[in-house]
Amino acid sequence: HNEFYGVYGAEESARYNGLDYLLRQLHLAHLVQSALGLLAKNAMPATDLLKLMAERGEVPLDDMRRERAKSHLRNNLRQIGQLCREAGVPLVLCTLAANETAFAPAGSSTPPLDAHSSGDWLNLVESAGEHLTRDYITREAAEEALTSLDRAGAQSDRHAWPTYLRGRALQRLGQDRAALKAFRAARDLDTMPWRAPSDHSEIIRAEAEQMGAVLVDVENELRTLAGAQGIGWQYMVDHVHFSTAGQTLLARL
């Protein structure tokens, strides 16, 4: 999940990563971090971590960092597999589960429309959002919001926020399968991908098969256990970290 915003993610340069690896091998990084820790007055609150991630900016759908992240993941897995084979160590790879239904996209693109059409699209999405972000959503509100989203989607439809809202509306209307499809699409369309896109799990599945590693398909197993409600707060405490219940299920897999 840290391929874009983590220390070794696609956001960072290969030169920086190489230098950091070298420092860690020389055990200097820990020494420097310890010294800095002594100088710091307070530890960083968890909320600041999310703020720092937000400040890293967006990663549009056509951004080369997305391809770079997939390439990094694929190459790293192959290196791990090679090292394990040389050492005679069995390798287990896990797919990536995330909070799909209860965590809204952190970033969403805007449509490439002229000023008038763009304003109309935005009004339709905002209208749907007003209905679907309330504590209680009536069926009538969900139906009205879905109509607005359909009209907006007819103009431009590859955007994370309205796709997530569609999932909320469909979920309220009891169309669970369609709702889950929308939630998962919203995760992939998120322009601030704090949750790894689904194609990262596809890479893990393919590499596990190629190298003969054991695959634990955490993503699909959790989706099966979650059922119609999808993976949400019952298994996650934020966007990717497991709750106690989620950790228990993960351990059993």
Side-chain angles (χ1 to χ4, degrees):
H1 287 294
N2 292 328
E3 284 299 309
F4 295 99
Y5 296 104
V7 175
Y8 301 113
E11 181 72 26
E12 304 294 346
S13 68
R15 181 178 299 178
Y16 171 85
N17 287 343
L19 176 62
D20 191 71
Y21 282 137
L22 176 61
L23 289 174
R24 290 182 184 278
Q25 289 172 353
L26 296 175
H27 302 288
L28 295 178
H30 181 70
L31 179 63
V32 173
Q33 289 170 355
S34 298
L36 291 174
L38 292 174
L39 296 174
K41 293 182 179 180
N42 298 300
M44 181 188 297
T47 52
D48 284 356
L49 176 60
L50 292 180
K51 181 180 178 181
L52 286 173
M53 288 173 65
E55 290 174 350
R56 297 297 291 272
E58 297 196 8
V59 186
L61 299 180
D62 59 353
D63 196 301
M64 284 303 298
R65 284 173 293 178
R66 289 185 178 263
E67 291 304 314
R68 193 184 310 149
K70 290 191 288 186
S71 179
H72 283 182
L73 176 60
R74 191 177 291 108
N75 291 335
N76 288 341
L77 289 175
R78 290 175 182 177
Q79 290 181 43
I80 292 169
Q82 179 63 30
L83 289 171
C84 287
R85 283 193 298 273
E86 292 173 359
V89 174
L91 176 62
V92 179
L93 296 181
C94 300
T95 53
L96 303 165
N99 188 336
E100 295 178 328
T101 64
F103 192 86
S108 185
S109 59
T110 54
L113 302 170
D114 60 58
H116 174 74
S117 298
S118 181
D120 181 51
W121 183 90
L122 186 59
N123 288 335
L124 289 169
V125 173
E126 288 181 346
S127 174
E130 289 178 4
H131 288 301
L132 298 171
T133 54
R134 297 171 181 169
D135 291 335
Y136 178 75
I137 304 169
T138 65
R139 286 188 61 87
E140 292 76 14
E143 290 170 349
E144 184 176 339
L146 199 55
T147 299
S148 296
L149 293 171
D150 285 340
R151 289 176 57 194
Q155 298 180 60
S156 187
D157 64 351
R158 286 183 53 78
H159 309 282
W161 176 236
T163 302
Y164 177 81
L165 290 175
R166 175 176 293 277
R168 295 266 295 179
L170 292 169
Q171 189 178 54
R172 177 61 183 90
L173 296 173
Q175 301 180 39
D176 296 325
R177 184 173 297 181
L180 292 178
K181 184 178 179 180
F183 286 132
R184 292 164 190 171
R187 170 183 167 184
D188 286 341
L189 293 170
D190 195 339
T191 57
M192 297 189 72
W194 299 356
R195 303 166 295 177
S198 58
D199 54 15
H200 286 225
S201 281
E202 291 303 321
I203 289 172
I204 294 170
R205 292 184 184 100
E207 292 301 319
E209 182 177 3
Q210 180 68 24
M211 67 180 69
V214 175
L215 176 70
V216 180
D217 202 336
V218 176
E219 185 177 57
N220 281 338
E221 290 286 350
L222 222 60
R223 283 175 174 175
T224 299
L225 290 168
Q229 62 184 324
I231 303 174
W233 296 127
Q234 77 276 39
Y235 298 125
M236 299 286 173
V237 295
D238 54 20
H239 54 305
V240 295
H241 295 99
F242 289 91
S243 65
T244 301
Q247 292 178 40
T248 301
L249 290 173
L250 180 62
R252 291 173 179 170
L253 295 178

